[in-house]
Amino acid sequence: RILVTGASGFIGSNIMDSLEQRGHTVYGCCHTKIVEKDNFITCDLSKHMPDLQVDVVVHAAAVSP
């Protein structure tokens, strides 16, 4: 079970796709955009961690100029 931050961005979404293709259970976390998929949540990790049981967090969130 893997949580990918920045999942609505280019890198995060590609990481999610790659992990899903390999058979992993993947959840996407995005701070600003609401993505209409069952495995996406909107959250701000600087304020709280979502109530998910995950084994790994892949941090791909960043502020882009």
Side-chain angles (χ1 to χ4, degrees):
R1 297 168 305 216
I2 303 168
L3 174 66
V4 179
T5 67
S8 64
F10 178 77
I11 294 172
S13 63
N14 280 292
I15 290 171
M16 281 193 67
D17 290 343
S18 178
L19 292 169
E20 287 173 338
Q21 289 174 3
R22 290 180 166 92
H24 295 283
T25 301
V26 183
Y27 302 99
C29 175
C30 44
H31 170 217
T32 56
K33 294 182 181 179
I34 296 174
V35 179
E36 295 188 18
K37 287 186 176 180
D38 290 338
N39 60 339
F40 269 78
I41 56 172
T42 301
C43 64
D44 184 347
L45 294 178
S46 69
K47 296 180 181 165
H48 72 281
M49 180 69 176
D51 188 23
L52 292 173
Q53 295 291 325
V54 296
D55 301 306
V56 175
V57 176
V58 176
H59 181 54
V63 176
S64 179

